[in-house]
Amino acid sequence: MSDKKLTERTLKGLSWSLTSLLVQMLLNIISVSILARILTPQDYGLMSAVFIVVALGNTLSGLGLAPTIIQKKDLTEDHLATALVSSLGIGLTLMTLQWLCAPYLAAFMRMPELINVTRVTSLALIVQPLASLYEAWMARCLRFRQVSITKLGVWIASSFGVSIPLAYLGYGYWALAAGFLSQTFFSAATYLLLARNIGSNGDASFRAAKELFRTGAGFSVTQFMNYISIYADNTIVGRALGSVDLGIYSRAFYMISLPTNMFGTASRMVVFPAMAHIQDDESRMRQAYLKGISLTALMAIPTSVFLAVFSGEIVSIILGSQWTKATIPFAVFSTAIYFRVGAKTCANILLAKAHAYTLAILQTANAVMIVAGALIGASYGLNTVCIAVCTAAIVSYGGYAIISNRTAKVTILEFASVHIRPILIGLFVLSIGTGLKLAMPEAKPITVIGCAIVAFGLPLGVALYLKPSFLLGNLVTEILATVAKPFAQKIGWRVH
């Protein structure tokens, strides 16, 4: 595929992914706001405990096959058939284990209500690994539009069609469990229709399995360590502090994960597959890496500052009065948004170059820091756990950046230079936001947020329209020029 064609398809894919994820994030805010006023922190705490086990099963069942399918240059139909058969068999085995181990999980977490809901949600392990493989294959084929539409449509159906109605009818945490199961099965069914022929002309074999798992093992270790990084703190908070504090902790983190996942998922589903196509071209890989870091910093740093400054208002508007204890955790988590997303962006080049074991080492170090921090912090309360976990994310990002810069042959000066504009915009947001809060101490939260959006949006919007490169820098402007070209032509906007 030519340089120009790959770039255009990648950026169009990024546009579709970001648009879909942005719509989902906005709808998610509405969904969270409705459910937070119906369900209790304890309901969310119980489901967070269930997801610890469900996510573990999903991680183990994949065995690193999804990123291997995207990355492997000589992928055959035999490889695809072997991956599908392996995932199905392992998924069935893990589903059985989760069903049998449910009482032990409930005893460990000191939450007897977990037994039945853990067993019911284990059904997701039958199809979740298959859905991941289908999605990976479509990403490999750069079918980003179909993936984006599928993910958005499935999420809307499960959230607004299942979870919210059942919560309103009084089903409590079972409403969240039903929404999760419906989303899993809807996704699998849709991907099966879109990619139903993959592997159909191949035969599962031990030879193909050996070739897949040779690379997949490294990815699998990385995914397992990533699982530890995400869920170890939830496990410690739930066991040490109880289901109510776990519900508050998980909701605060989930709200932060909305923008984090939007940036990170778009990068993973678009930038990584594109990099995998050019993994042998060092010049193009280097340029793609710098663009990815530039775009990540520009989106994440100002967002991080905004959410931290207006944490109290945001929690009040979205979650309501029963969630005020989530304000400090939300503010603390906000400060680490860029470092979490940045680590994912750095990981893309390591994934594309098949440096799976390097990623595994980095993720293991991150997991160890999170576990140690959460264990120490739990003795001092929920807020201390949040600080410890965010500190681990910041330190971990440093390791990712150093290794990725070496892999892409990017100097420290080049890496630092792409952060100058995002940091300046972040300081602008900080100064204006702090001034607004001091000037409006008695104003309602919605009024403060509205004024903040106007105060930030007007000058930044004018600068973006008149001189995009001044505000965004040359690398991000190149991305914007490709993505926004059709729209710009209609309104006479010259992207330069």
Side-chain angles (χ1 to χ4, degrees):
M1 186 179 296
S2 68
D3 191 353
K4 182 178 179 181
K5 187 174 182 180
L6 178 62
T7 300
E8 289 180 352
R9 290 191 66 177
T10 300
L11 294 179
K12 287 179 180 178
L14 182 62
S15 176
W16 268 103
S17 294
L18 283 176
T19 301
S20 172
L21 291 167
L22 179 60
V23 172
Q24 183 173 335
M25 185 181 74
L26 296 175
L27 292 174
N28 218 327
I29 291 173
I30 297 174
S31 172
V32 167
S33 182
I34 294 172
L35 289 171
R37 286 163 171 78
I38 301 174
L39 304 177
T40 66
Q42 185 176 22
D43 289 328
Y44 277 106
L46 289 169
M47 279 310 300
S48 295
V50 171
F51 288 143
I52 293 171
V53 182
V54 172
L56 174 61
N58 187 44
T59 299
L60 295 176
S61 65
L63 291 177
L65 292 175
T68 302
I69 284 176
I70 295 176
Q71 189 276 334
K72 191 171 179 60
K73 288 187 288 186
D74 54 345
L75 189 71
T76 66
E77 285 289 310
D78 286 352
H79 290 133
L80 292 171
T82 301
L84 292 172
V85 172
S86 300
S87 293
L88 181 60
I90 296 169
L92 288 169
T93 301
L94 291 173
M95 182 201 73
T96 303
L97 288 174
Q98 181 174 319
W99 183 284
L100 295 175
C101 292
Y104 303 104
L105 168 70
F108 175 77
M109 295 297 291
R110 301 165 184 166
M111 302 175 190
E113 304 93 335
L114 290 181
I115 297 176
N116 290 333
V117 70
T118 299
R119 285 177 167 169
V120 171
T121 52
S122 70
L123 298 174
L125 289 172
I126 301 175
V127 298
Q128 201 165 40
L130 297 177
S132 297
L133 290 178
Y134 287 128
E135 182 179 316
W137 181 81
M138 292 176 69
R140 176 187 175 90
C141 299
L142 306 182
R143 293 167 60 179
F144 305 121
R145 178 177 178 178
Q146 290 179 318
V147 171
S148 299
I149 293 174
T150 297
K151 292 173 78 70
L152 178 61
V154 164
W155 180 84
I156 291 174
S158 60
S159 182
F160 288 91
V162 179
S163 292
I164 292 176
L166 290 179
Y168 181 78
L169 293 173
Y171 284 92
Y173 59 85
W174 281 105
L176 300 175
F180 163 71
L181 283 173
S182 62
Q183 183 174 358
T184 301
F185 281 93
F186 290 164
S187 293
T190 305
Y191 284 130
L192 178 61
L193 290 174
L194 293 174
R196 56 186 175 275
N197 293 324
I198 69 168
S200 59
N201 296 322
D203 296 312
S205 67
F206 287 109
R207 179 188 58 79
K210 183 178 179 180
E211 293 174 358
L212 285 174
F213 294 139
R214 186 183 296 119
T215 301
F219 287 133
S220 188
V221 172
T222 301
Q223 289 175 338
F224 180 73
M225 288 300 124
N226 185 55
Y227 163 82
I228 297 294
S229 301
I230 295 173
Y231 292 100
D233 51 342
N234 284 268
T235 304
I236 293 167
V237 169
R239 179 171 170 77
L241 303 178
S243 60
V244 174
D245 273 5
L246 176 57
I248 291 170
Y249 183 87
S250 65
R251 280 300 86 188
F253 188 85
Y254 180 77
M255 288 174 62
I256 289 301
S257 74
L258 295 179
T260 301
N261 288 342
M262 184 182 75
F263 304 147
T265 301
S267 176
R268 174 179 61 84
M269 292 308 301
V270 178
V271 178
F272 167 40
M275 283 185 171
H277 277 271
I278 58 172
Q279 57 187 283
D280 296 323
D281 190 329
E282 292 186 357
S283 176
R284 294 171 70 189
M285 284 282 285
R286 180 178 177 277
Q287 193 69 4
Y289 173 69
L290 281 172
K291 287 182 178 180
I293 291 294
S294 299
L295 185 61
T296 297
L298 195 66
M299 292 189 298
I301 291 177
T303 300
S304 178
V305 175
F306 180 88
L307 295 178
V309 170
F310 296 102
S311 57
E313 289 80 5
I314 292 170
V315 170
S316 176
I317 293 170
I318 296 178
L319 298 182
S321 58
Q322 68 171 330
W323 295 88
T324 53
K325 193 178 177 182
T327 300
I328 294 178
F330 180 82
V332 173
F333 285 141
S334 297
T335 62
I337 286 178
Y338 168 68
F339 302 101
R340 294 181 185 279
V341 183
K344 294 179 180 180
T345 304
C346 290
N348 282 322
I349 192 168
L350 300 178
L351 283 168
K353 299 289 284 186
H355 292 176
Y357 293 99
T358 301
L359 273 174
I361 293 171
L362 291 169
Q363 197 61 271
T364 300
N366 182 45
V368 169
M369 288 188 290
I370 287 176
V371 171
L375 285 171
I376 296 171
S379 301
Y380 300 93
L382 187 63
N383 296 336
T384 309
V385 175
C386 298
I387 294 171
V389 170
C390 288
T391 301
I394 294 170
V395 175
S396 178
Y397 172 68
Y400 274 94
I402 291 171
I403 301 298
S404 299
N405 286 347
R406 289 178 181 174
T407 303
K409 297 183 179 179
V410 169
T411 66
I412 295 177
L413 183 61
E414 289 173 320
F415 183 79
S417 65
V418 301
H419 291 80
I420 294 175
R421 283 181 174 82
I423 290 174
L424 291 176
I425 296 174
L427 291 174
F428 170 74
V429 173
L430 177 62
S431 60
I432 297 297
T434 303
L436 276 174
K437 294 195 70 172
L438 291 174
M440 307 172 66
E442 304 298 327
K444 293 182 179 181
I446 190 68
T447 303
V448 175
I449 294 296
C451 291
I453 292 174
V454 173
F456 302 141
L458 282 178
L460 293 178
V462 170
L464 180 63
Y465 183 81
L466 296 177
K467 189 69 174 177
S469 60
F470 174 78
L471 181 66
L472 306 178
N474 292 328
L475 291 174
V476 177
T477 302
E478 287 180 27
I479 298 174
L480 181 65
T482 301
V483 173
K485 186 177 180 180
F487 173 73
Q489 290 176 339
K490 291 181 180 179
I491 65 172
W493 178 31
R494 184 182 177 187
V495 183
H496 55 87

